[in-house]
Amino acid sequence: MSASDARQMQGPEKPRKKNIFFYLRRDKYLYLLLLPPMVYFLIFKYGPMYGITVAFKEYNIFKGIGASEWVGLEYFREVFRMKEFYRVLRNTLLLNGVDLLFSFPAPILLALLLTELNSKWFKRLSQTVLYLPHFISWVVIGGIMYQLLSPDSGYVNILIRALGGSSVPFLTERVHWVASYVLIGVWQSMGWGSILYLASITNIPPELYEAAMIDGASRLQQIRHVTLPCIRPTIVTMLILNVGKMMTIGFERPYTIGNTLVREVSDVISTFVYRVGLQSSNYSLATAVGLFQSVIGLVLILSTNYISQKLGDDGIW
Amino acid sequence: MRKILASLLAVSAGLSVLSGCSGSSSSSGPASQSGSAPASNAPSDSAPASQAENKPSGERKTLTVEMFDLGSDSQQPIGKSYWYDWMQEQFGDPNNIDLEWMAIPRAEEVTKLNILMSSGDAPDIIYSYEISLVNNYIKQGGLADLTEAVEKNGQHLKTFLGEETLAYGQFGGKQYVIPQKRLFNGIVGSQIRKDWLDQLGLAVPTTHEEFHSVLKAFQEKDPAGGGKTIPWGMALNDMSMGYFSMQYAFKEAMTEEQFYTDNPWVQPGYREGIRFANTLFNEGLISSEFSLDKDSSQLKAAISNGQVGFVICNVGDYHLKSQGVVAALNQNIPEAEYVPCDPFENYEGKHPKLKYYPYGHYLMVPAASKVPEEAVLFLDWMCQDDVLFTLSSGFEGVHYEIKDGIPVDLDYNGDQKLSSDHNNDIRIIINGRDAGGFDASLKLRSESASPYQDFFIESYKMSEVDGIVDPWYFNGFQEPIEAEAKYTKTLNDKRTEMFVRLYMCDPAQFDATYDALVQEYMEAGGTEVMNARKEVFQRTMAK
Amino acid sequence: MKKTASWYLKNTILYGVMVILILACLLPFIHVVALSFSSNRAVTSREVFLWPVEWNLSAYRQVMGDASMVRSLWFTILLTVLYTVICMAMTIMAAYPLSKSRLKGRRLFMGLIIFTMYFSGGMIPDYLLVSGLGLVNSIWALILPGAVNAFNLIILRTYFMNSVPGELEESASLDGLNDIGILIRIVLPLSLPIIATLSLFYAVNRWNGFQDAVFYINDQAKYPLPLKIYNIIFNNSRPELLMTSGADATPVPGDGLKGASIVFSTLPILVLYPWLQKYFVSGVMVGAVKA
């Protein structure tokens, strides 16, 4: 409860009706602060928002969006008629789902591990090194992964065969590929992702740990009862945001790690849109698919938010 | 200083052109150029005349021209280097036009062009290699009809391109596109290791049975050593997989309609070509991981290390020279030698393979442009022999000297340096350097393949033998086909997948797999495209 | 601390795991650096593993030797700094008020913002807007359209809501500070770790991002460095391009150049991060609460 709230409660004769001007006056600085960012959103986000209508039109880039012919749900119908679409939809959800399962906890665990390190210099070193994969472009990562994991020429398989085993189809068999896809994703993002959690952990007052130690808590118990609860808001926020992204998927990772042999699982909405929409200059179709993704994404994020609020967190809205 | 030199050049250029041309290579330093073209290319005396006729009075117009940004350091700064100034002086100033240039990154050309067109910010002259983009723009009414402008300002263009090529730019009777002239139409360059053949006492194969035995011999005898021999090096791209050569050789006789409208999968004989590849793959004669080699990096490494016997590449980029493979191979295995080899013969004993249409990219003028006539005038100016020659070789004595009738490069690195590939990026009206006559031009081109000139010439000639301009690969009909615009990319992807599956599957399953995959292909849009093509074909033939 | 057997065991496992992770992250990067310093021949023949083969600076010369590259470098640095400062300021200005439950209309504002995370006009309307504002080809086209990242905003807001104790703000308010004063004097100093983090996110995104420059910048001199490098690598090396244009053996940059470009993109982080690390300091609460 802020000071101004306190004042308000103690005030003798405050007028009963609280019209908008009251709030504007009371929190004028807050609204002032909010003004430039909201203007930004208005201009740069809502300004072009009419572009969504492209999904409902026969878009002619010369006539412009306004003058293009209205065709209603035709492109949606077209997309939903394509067998391909359902396949890429399934793949997107599958890959994102497995990703969430592994790529989401990994940075948290890593952040916890890092804070457990006693040696300061080792901790510094680790932090600096662990985020390097984030900076290697996916094209190069793809190249490296194929050099390592190809069935015949991949170094890992050469090693395996030398040790008497047989080649593992890391990238050429569906199930193996999904596992490789996810693990590569974890490798690439866990370091960078841990930065946020580390920042949150930094903020935990040391007195809480001291109190816990006095109470005889082991290190593990301290983590469970101090660290995790304190960074819970960050974790929940990130979880909500990531669930909200389940319908979208980056283009580069599936494209560079995928190949023809596993196309059945590696083809996702983004590669589909790239191929069918953008490469064929079929903007209406691309926008229709994008709109579909957006609606689902919004529903997902709002539901997750609702659930988390029911469970006691602040949520994001 | 630069300005003074430039204007001196302009003046002397004007003088030498006006005085008619002697064709001799007299030089007084940088002051003389144009008109020293080889004998067969008599510079048109009409050039100054027609330009003088067209000299407009009145306001100064601005003509913006697209220029691909190649991102290479050999490309001179767009709009800000000598040759752009030269064009302004030679064309812009005499015609009261300000030339401006818009750089567009090559890798994003379609997206960027679409955005510019949609906002009306596009340059006055645009170009692209994508026929689907052209079709789209025409369909949406975004291109200017240049028929009148060509009549008025395009006399040189007509002679230069010829009626036939110019007709390729006509859609529904209107000249929406000015096709770029392409000098070299051969595409497929396949080659084989001569030193291995010699070592094993074999001749260069000319039929596919011989080819099969040679590959087997490579596999058995392992000339690369250590079991690393790859008889047929293949990567995941159409060229490498034999789509442009091998498959044609297996096709049987067919009607004209089949040729134009049936997709390759259902054309007679195609199946056998794929089966042949399947046999080879299952015998271990093809790169086992070709399906994973999306960027050819594995193939490159294999060739560089001397492990590959036979490979199919773009003839201009023989065994991937542009990717440094030739240089690497020479250093790693100096005794390695490739020779051109065309082992796929068809039922008539011919060696059919894909060939380009005689044009390159499509030059267009947006409908929103205010200067379509000036745009055509510019292209018309550029295609004149002397202008083109200067643009592609520079000034005699400075950039080149004539030897054996062709311009041979001198080592010049000054301000007037030519842009990449002899100003290839600037010469938007022609793809390739014309040295006056095909043989001379081929010889000239082979110079850039030094020290493999002879190999290159032989390889190129082979690439044009029995060349087919396949209406399935290039736009066969002079009108946009809706179904193609919609499905081509999907079908192309599907095709790649089919190749992979069919090459790699168990031979016993081949026919079943083939039929199943073709069924999928047809369902993914193949049927619709075929029907659309049939409809257009019948309509065109009925005329 | 008692160094029992379990302590040794725990630490061995811990450090062991860390070492494996470090190697997994470091080795590929070393490979990339090695590629960038190797000769073309060695790179093409795939002879490079963790150490440069035939030491060769041509990739770097290509990237840095060009005067236009160096200009582009300065431009990109300027752009990144400007962008980060503006973005961070805007994000703070939005996150703080929105973290206050007493703000009327808070849900409305949050809703509007979340909506924009999912629905956007698309490439062409975006371009038309930027063009209409006269920003095409200017540095602002690369700053303004991305000025607030809703994702970062939400994270910051969550942080403000949970990590800044209300008592501090109360006592400051009693001292006569208005909301802006509280923000600047109290809240921000306590939020340095998260601000440092988000600034890092913004900076890295801007430094490595170039998709927008493809559309909004026509002047080669104003290409951000990653775009120039991307052009070098990709304008000539796509197989389809080679096919349709009948490209005639123009040398194509190899993986060594890709390696150099990655090193370049990592540089700002390697430079910034150690400097930023000092903000990831605890001791946040020391002396803040008045008795």
Side-chain angles (χ1 to χ4, degrees):
Chain A
M1 185 166 71
S2 73
S4 47
D5 279 342
R7 251 181 282 142
Q8 183 195 330
M9 273 175 41
Q10 291 159 16
E13 333 97 28
K14 272 291 181 208
R16 245 10 336 270
K17 76 172 157 81
K18 300 191 189 136
N19 62 19
I20 189 169
F21 292 108
F22 168 73
Y23 291 108
L24 279 176
R25 245 183 304 126
R26 180 189 71 176
D27 299 323
K28 62 175 173 288
Y29 290 108
L30 291 183
Y31 287 108
L32 210 59
L33 281 176
L34 202 48
L35 192 63
M38 289 319 284
V39 166
Y40 158 80
F41 277 104
L42 208 69
I43 298 182
F44 286 97
K45 295 289 180 191
Y46 284 96
M49 195 71 84
Y50 65 91
I52 291 182
T53 57
V54 168
F56 303 100
K57 293 192 168 202
E58 185 73 50
Y59 183 45
N60 178 320
I61 65 176
F62 301 103
K63 287 194 202 151
I65 297 180
S68 290
E69 201 190 315
W70 183 268
V71 292
L73 295 175
E74 183 183 310
Y75 280 103
F76 289 94
R77 272 195 285 266
E78 189 181 322
V79 170
F80 293 144
R81 261 198 301 256
M82 295 182 170
K83 262 198 315 190
E84 238 184 309
F85 177 70
Y86 296 100
R87 186 169 52 108
V88 299
L89 187 62
R90 175 204 71 190
N91 290 342
T92 306
L93 290 173
L94 171 71
L95 292 178
N96 276 342
V98 185
D99 241 0
L100 197 66
L101 218 54
F102 291 95
S103 288
F104 184 76
I108 304 176
L109 289 172
L110 188 61
L112 293 174
L113 280 180
L114 282 170
T115 38
E116 288 308 302
L117 293 174
N118 295 323
S119 159
K120 259 230 145 83
W121 71 265
F122 191 75
K123 185 171 169 183
R124 278 271 169 92
L125 172 73
S126 312
Q127 274 179 270
T128 315
V129 167
L130 287 169
Y131 57 61
L132 287 177
H134 175 87
F135 290 90
I136 308 183
S137 65
W138 279 108
V139 173
V140 175
I141 294 179
I144 295 178
M145 290 305 156
Y146 276 94
Q147 276 194 277
L148 288 175
L149 303 172
S150 289
D152 296 331
S153 63
Y155 302 124
V156 173
N157 273 320
I158 290 180
L159 188 64
I160 293 179
R161 283 197 300 268
L163 295 174
S166 55
S167 291
V168 180
F170 294 107
L171 295 172
T172 50
E173 188 277 320
R174 289 180 322 187
V175 177
H176 285 89
W177 185 86
V178 173
S180 307
Y181 173 88
V182 172
L183 283 175
I184 294 175
V186 169
W187 166 82
Q188 199 253 8
S189 62
M190 72 175 169
W192 188 253
S194 71
I195 294 183
L196 188 64
Y197 296 110
L198 281 172
S200 298
I201 292 180
T202 314
N203 222 47
I204 301 177
E207 301 88 65
L208 293 180
Y209 287 112
E210 285 160 22
M213 277 200 291
I214 291 175
D215 282 347
S218 72
R219 198 61 195 150
L220 213 59
Q221 286 173 317
Q222 284 173 38
I223 294 179
R224 248 185 75 206
H225 294 222
V226 179
T227 318
L228 284 179
C230 282
I231 62 173
R232 181 178 160 136
T234 311
I235 295 182
V236 170
T237 307
M238 289 300 285
L239 185 62
I240 297 177
L241 288 172
N242 274 306
V243 170
K245 288 200 296 186
M246 279 282 273
M247 276 307 282
T248 55
I249 189 166
F251 174 80
E252 290 183 301
R253 174 151 63 124
Y255 188 71
T256 55
I257 307 282
N259 61 69
T260 324
L261 295 174
V262 292
R263 212 162 138 225
E264 218 184 297
V265 281
S266 71
D267 213 11
V268 289
I269 293 188
S270 52
T271 46
F272 171 75
V273 167
Y274 179 71
R275 189 171 63 239
V276 171
L278 300 173
Q279 276 192 317
S280 319
S281 294
N282 195 342
Y283 289 114
S284 297
L285 191 93
T287 315
V289 175
L291 200 57
F292 171 78
Q293 286 176 291
S294 299
V295 169
I296 305 279
L298 193 63
V299 167
L300 281 174
I301 203 177
L302 291 178
S303 339
T304 325
N305 189 55
Y306 179 76
I307 295 176
S308 84
Q309 282 177 331
K310 275 279 173 275
L311 294 176
D313 293 285
D314 289 310
I316 63 170
W317 190 28
Chain B
M1 180 59 205
R2 228 226 246 189
K3 269 259 164 197
I4 301 175
L5 204 61
S7 34
L8 264 179
L9 283 163
V11 167
S12 45
L15 284 177
S16 68
V17 165
L18 281 174
S19 61
C21 231
S22 57
S24 69
S25 41
S26 61
S27 60
S28 38
S32 83
Q33 76 291 20
S34 78
S36 334
S40 55
N41 236 8
S44 36
D45 276 343
S46 58
S50 61
Q51 283 201 349
E53 272 163 30
N54 281 337
K55 200 182 186 92
S57 49
E59 58 185 293
R60 189 104 174 162
K61 301 240 176 98
T62 308
L63 181 70
T64 313
V65 182
E66 173 183 352
M67 193 56 63
F68 276 161
D69 179 355
L70 301 175
S72 69
D73 53 0
S74 62
Q75 184 180 34
Q76 299 301 301
I78 294 175
K80 298 192 175 100
S81 50
Y82 176 72
W83 289 97
Y84 296 93
D85 295 335
W86 187 83
M87 286 192 280
Q88 177 65 41
E89 264 128 38
Q90 294 291 304
F91 170 79
D93 292 337
N95 288 296
N96 214 13
I97 295 178
D98 275 325
L99 282 175
E100 286 188 2
W101 308 89
M102 190 182 290
I104 295 199
R106 182 76 164 90
E108 307 279 336
E109 58 132 345
V110 171
T111 332
K112 182 112 199 215
L113 205 51
N114 278 334
I115 288 194
L116 290 172
M117 288 294 260
S118 70
S119 65
D121 285 344
D124 298 301
I125 297 183
I126 58 175
Y127 51 91
S128 172
Y129 283 100
E130 296 282 328
I131 187 61
S132 58
L133 180 135
V134 173
N135 282 334
N136 232 0
Y137 288 168
I138 294 178
K139 189 175 88 171
Q140 297 185 350
L143 294 183
D145 179 2
L146 300 172
T147 324
E148 281 177 23
V150 169
E151 273 313 311
K152 180 168 175 222
N153 285 337
Q155 301 313 315
H156 295 108
L157 271 177
K158 282 190 181 171
T159 340
F160 178 70
L161 293 174
E163 283 300 323
E164 201 190 318
T165 308
L166 207 52
Y168 283 122
Q170 284 163 5
F171 295 81
K174 303 201 181 159
Q175 192 83 41
Y176 282 118
V177 165
I178 296 185
Q180 176 198 44
K181 182 169 179 174
R182 182 194 291 276
L183 276 187
F184 297 105
N185 299 333
I187 304 179
V188 180
S190 38
Q191 45 250 317
I192 198 166
R193 285 284 292 270
K194 181 92 177 14
D195 53 310
W196 285 5
L197 290 174
D198 290 342
Q199 200 181 320
L200 301 177
L202 297 166
V204 177
T206 54
T207 69
H208 57 262
E209 281 100 11
E210 285 172 21
F211 178 62
H212 196 167
S213 341
V214 166
L215 289 185
K216 278 226 184 86
F218 284 166
Q219 182 186 49
E220 260 172 77
K221 304 291 164 75
D222 191 18
K228 291 193 188 251
T229 304
I230 302 177
W232 181 349
M234 192 183 280
L236 192 71
N237 63 70
D238 289 336
M239 173 82 71
S240 188
M241 296 191 288
Y243 179 64
F244 300 142
S245 50
M246 182 179 76
Q247 324 292 18
Y248 283 104
F250 284 83
K251 288 193 206 178
E252 291 156 17
M254 63 183 94
T255 66
E256 206 183 0
E257 173 163 350
Q258 283 177 308
F259 181 68
Y260 272 93
T261 66
D262 278 6
N263 71 59
W265 299 102
V266 302
Q267 283 174 346
Y270 199 74
R271 180 190 294 249
E272 298 313 311
I274 311 273
R275 191 195 305 273
F276 182 60
N278 174 280
T279 314
L280 295 180
F281 183 84
N282 279 295
E283 287 175 6
L285 301 171
I286 294 181
S287 303
S288 63
E289 290 175 336
F290 80 93
S291 64
L292 304 177
D293 198 4
K294 287 182 281 194
D295 58 356
S296 305
S297 58
Q298 216 175 332
L299 180 61
K300 276 165 27 185
I303 300 178
S304 303
N305 287 317
Q307 297 163 355
V308 169
F310 174 81
V311 68
I312 309 179
C313 301
N314 186 313
V315 70
D317 195 18
Y318 47 92
H319 37 288
L320 302 177
K321 173 191 179 197
S322 72
Q323 319 232 10
V325 171
V326 172
L329 177 62
N330 286 341
Q331 284 179 266
N332 292 344
I333 318 252
E335 68 274 15
E337 188 198 346
Y338 278 100
V339 289
C341 164
D342 193 353
F344 304 118
E345 96 295 6
N346 73 355
Y347 66 98
E348 290 177 309
K350 294 198 178 162
H351 293 257
K353 51 184 83 75
L354 188 67
K355 203 170 74 156
Y356 282 122
Y357 269 106
Y359 58 81
H361 59 225
Y362 306 91
L363 292 153
M364 306 167 268
V365 176
S369 164
K370 301 192 181 53
V371 288
E373 292 185 356
E374 284 74 3
V376 174
L377 188 65
F378 176 68
L379 295 174
D380 187 81
W381 166 80
M382 191 186 271
C383 71
Q384 294 171 81
D385 289 336
D386 48 348
V387 174
L388 257 191
F389 189 80
T390 311
L391 273 178
S392 52
S393 304
F395 306 129
E396 189 170 4
V398 178
H399 302 95
Y400 70 90
E401 57 182 7
I402 302 281
K403 260 198 221 165
D404 295 330
I406 58 172
V408 173
D409 288 338
L410 295 172
D411 203 1
Y412 173 78
N413 249 317
D415 275 345
Q416 295 165 19
K417 192 166 170 190
L418 293 172
S419 187
S420 30
D421 269 342
H422 295 91
N423 276 341
N424 190 40
D425 48 335
I426 294 181
R427 291 181 280 113
I428 55 181
I429 191 62
I430 187 173
N431 184 322
R433 280 172 78 199
D434 198 337
F438 181 74
D439 285 320
S441 302
L442 182 59
K443 183 146 180 262
L444 180 59
R445 188 175 174 194
S446 73
E447 287 305 315
S448 64
S450 164
Y452 298 106
Q453 290 98 319
D454 293 330
F455 165 81
F456 183 79
I457 293 182
E458 201 190 325
S459 180
Y460 185 80
K461 288 198 173 144
M462 188 176 271
S463 77
E464 285 213 10
V465 167
D466 300 329
I468 298 181
V469 181
D470 189 349
W472 268 100
Y473 208 80
F474 302 104
N475 191 36
F477 306 103
Q478 286 313 109
E479 60 179 86
I481 298 183
E482 185 87 37
E484 281 193 347
K486 223 159 105 170
Y487 294 112
T488 304
K489 293 292 177 194
T490 312
L491 291 178
N492 287 349
D493 260 16
K494 190 78 190 154
R495 172 181 76 216
T496 309
E497 187 193 333
M498 286 164 80
F499 274 129
V500 168
R501 288 230 140 82
L502 288 170
Y503 281 19
M504 291 176 72
C505 73
D506 185 342
Q509 307 284 349
F510 180 78
D511 283 299
T513 316
Y514 190 91
D515 292 326
L517 284 176
V518 172
Q519 173 81 349
E520 281 176 33
Y521 182 88
M522 295 307 244
E523 280 170 14
T527 322
E528 292 174 44
V529 172
M530 247 174 74
N531 291 340
R533 287 182 79 97
K534 283 198 193 296
E535 193 262 319
V536 176
F537 179 80
Q538 270 140 17
R539 202 178 351 113
T540 329
M541 286 296 121
K543 288 193 201 144
Chain C
M1 174 128 31
K2 289 175 288 173
K3 299 209 177 174
T4 61
S6 73
W7 186 89
Y8 278 112
L9 182 66
K10 185 196 92 166
N11 269 346
T12 316
I13 296 181
L14 180 64
Y15 280 87
V17 168
M18 287 312 296
V19 166
I20 294 179
L21 289 179
I22 290 181
L23 284 178
C25 293
L26 192 58
L27 291 180
F29 191 77
I30 293 183
H31 169 73
V32 167
V33 174
L35 283 179
S36 72
F37 285 110
S38 303
S39 73
N40 265 336
R41 183 205 69 82
V43 171
T44 309
S45 313
R46 284 201 172 164
E47 288 175 12
V48 183
F49 297 103
L50 294 176
W51 194 254
V53 176
E54 283 162 23
W55 184 270
N56 183 306
L57 289 174
S58 65
Y60 288 101
R61 246 179 265 131
Q62 226 178 329
V63 172
M64 295 189 310
D66 202 335
S68 76
M69 283 300 207
V70 178
R71 263 197 305 267
S72 184
L73 178 65
W74 289 120
F75 175 76
T76 313
I77 293 179
L78 171 69
L79 171 67
T80 306
V81 169
L82 216 53
Y83 178 81
T84 308
V85 168
I86 291 181
C87 285
M88 215 48 237
M90 292 279 262
T91 310
I92 293 174
M93 283 163 64
Y96 183 67
L98 290 173
S99 66
K100 298 262 156 265
S101 51
R102 63 179 150 101
L103 189 79
K104 259 298 178 255
R106 182 192 192 208
R107 286 207 90 178
L108 173 67
F109 290 121
M110 280 313 291
L112 284 176
I113 292 175
I114 294 179
F115 190 78
T116 68
M117 283 168 69
Y118 288 94
F119 295 92
S120 69
M123 226 168 23
I124 290 184
D126 280 341
Y127 178 81
L128 290 174
L129 175 69
V130 170
S131 163
L133 290 173
L135 294 178
V136 166
N137 240 355
S138 95
I139 195 176
W140 298 104
L142 300 177
I143 296 178
L144 293 180
V148 182
N149 180 311
F151 211 81
N152 292 349
L153 194 160
I154 292 178
I155 294 178
L156 188 61
R157 171 182 172 266
T158 305
Y159 185 91
F160 284 156
M161 281 163 58
N162 291 292
S163 307
V164 181
E167 308 89 61
L168 282 183
E169 297 183 66
E170 256 178 61
S171 52
S173 178
L174 288 173
D175 281 351
L177 283 179
N178 63 28
D179 285 316
I180 297 188
I182 297 178
L183 173 63
I184 298 181
R185 299 273 186 87
I186 309 290
V187 176
L188 287 187
L190 296 184
S191 315
L192 287 181
I194 193 73
I195 291 183
T197 308
L198 293 179
S199 304
L200 191 64
F201 287 172
Y202 276 126
V204 167
N205 265 346
R206 182 64 272 174
W207 179 265
N208 286 330
F210 57 80
Q211 269 302 328
D212 53 346
V214 172
F215 306 141
Y216 299 140
I217 303 287
N218 295 324
D219 188 353
Q220 282 178 303
K222 293 210 187 93
Y223 281 178
L225 196 58
L227 178 58
K228 280 188 101 72
I229 297 182
Y230 174 83
N231 278 345
I232 295 179
I233 295 176
F234 287 101
N235 277 352
N236 271 312
S237 70
R238 273 168 45 190
E240 332 66 273
L241 295 184
L242 230 51
M243 176 60 218
T244 50
S245 65
D248 204 359
T250 317
V252 148
D255 284 351
L257 188 61
K258 283 190 198 150
S261 82
I262 290 177
V263 170
F264 244 90
S265 76
T266 324
L267 272 180
I269 295 314
L270 291 177
V271 163
L272 272 182
Y273 196 68
W275 181 74
L276 279 176
Q277 277 204 337
K278 71 176 186 229
Y279 291 105
F280 285 73
V281 159
S282 193
V284 137
M285 303 305 279
V286 175
V289 181
K290 296 195 167 126

